Amino acid sequence: MADTAAWTTHPVTAARFDDFADVINPHRRSTHCWCLSHRLRVKEIEELGDGSREDAARALAAGRSPFGVVTYRDDVPVGWCHVAPRDEIPRLAASRLIRPVDDVPVWSIICVVVRGGHRKQGVTGHLIEGAVAYAASRGAPAVEAHPVDPEGRMDTTMAFVGTRAMFERAGFEVVGQTDAVASKLPRLVMRRMLG
């Protein structure tokens, strides 16, 4: 049966913040990650959000450079992808476990989340395509991800890194392996060249 849904993807902004939150933290738990762990150091989260991770994320969304995209299916927010230039993601830029494979100024996908109740409905394909299109519109020469290659189902606590199959379906190719692991599996370096 053909998918007749209307799919769109937009950068997270102040106006779209609640849509982002509905995907990643529908119960608005204060201790939730809010997709800040790679983006900001603890001190920066405290300063930007006055002690609130949610407020720090709101401040990022209101900034000049969105830190990711939200995908909608028939105007309902169903997916989130943290995508940004690697050098704007301090924890990744400084990582000794996920080192650059070359000097291409890649954009990196850090997190892929499908909203509860919308899984196994093709969201990730649209989400990754939307993230890549957003990066391309901002001049990215390539987009990278660091997924794992599980034999079966993956531990859901680490599912945000994605899988090799998910990114291969979106045109990414393996270009290296990291020294990092998720769910005790080695994380790959996968890349899609743009332009």
Side-chain angles (χ1 to χ4, degrees):
M1 187 158 88
D3 182 1
T4 59
W7 294 91
T8 58
T9 300
H10 301 282
V12 66
T13 59
R16 295 188 185 276
F17 184 83
D18 286 330
D19 295 344
F20 154 73
D22 286 346
V23 174
I24 69 154
N25 191 1
H27 301 294
R28 308 302 197 265
R29 294 182 311 237
S30 62
T31 57
H32 191 75
C33 170
W34 287 100
C35 217
L36 298 177
S37 298
H38 284 82
R39 187 68 176 211
L40 300 173
R41 294 175 177 84
V42 173
K43 182 180 178 184
E44 293 170 319
I45 292 170
E46 290 294 320
E47 291 170 357
L48 193 58
D50 198 24
S52 164
R53 294 180 73 83
E54 179 178 352
D55 288 347
R58 279 187 187 279
L60 273 182
R64 291 178 307 158
S65 182
F67 64 115
V69 296
V70 178
T71 291
Y72 299 79
R73 181 180 187 178
D74 294 330
D75 298 323
V76 175
V78 294
W80 158 253
C81 181
H82 185 297
V83 60
R86 179 185 171 103
D87 63 4
E88 289 182 15
I89 307 170
R91 189 166 163 196
L92 182 58
S95 177
R96 287 182 263 194
L97 299 176
I98 303 177
R99 294 178 297 279
V101 295
D102 53 33
D103 60 358
V104 174
V106 298
W107 280 47
S108 297
I109 291 176
I110 295 299
C111 185
V112 176
V113 176
V114 175
R115 186 177 186 174
H118 298 272
R119 296 186 178 109
K120 298 187 184 293
Q121 297 176 21
V123 174
T124 55
H126 293 281
L127 181 57
I128 293 170
E129 284 301 325
V132 169
Y134 169 64
S137 76
R138 301 291 298 267
V143 178
E144 281 187 354
H146 307 100
V148 294
D149 191 10
E151 287 185 22
R153 286 188 55 82
M154 193 173 161
D155 174 5
T156 56
T157 60
M158 294 306 291
F160 71 91
V161 303
T163 65
R164 177 180 180 159
M166 172 191 306
F167 284 99
E168 280 181 340
R169 284 191 299 271
F172 285 67
E173 297 178 353
V174 175
V175 295
Q177 185 167 314
T178 74
D179 292 326
V181 296
S183 293
K184 301 179 183 175
L185 296 168
R187 293 180 68 180
L188 305 169
V189 181
M190 296 188 72
R191 179 182 289 179
R192 180 166 156 185
M193 295 303 296
L194 305 175

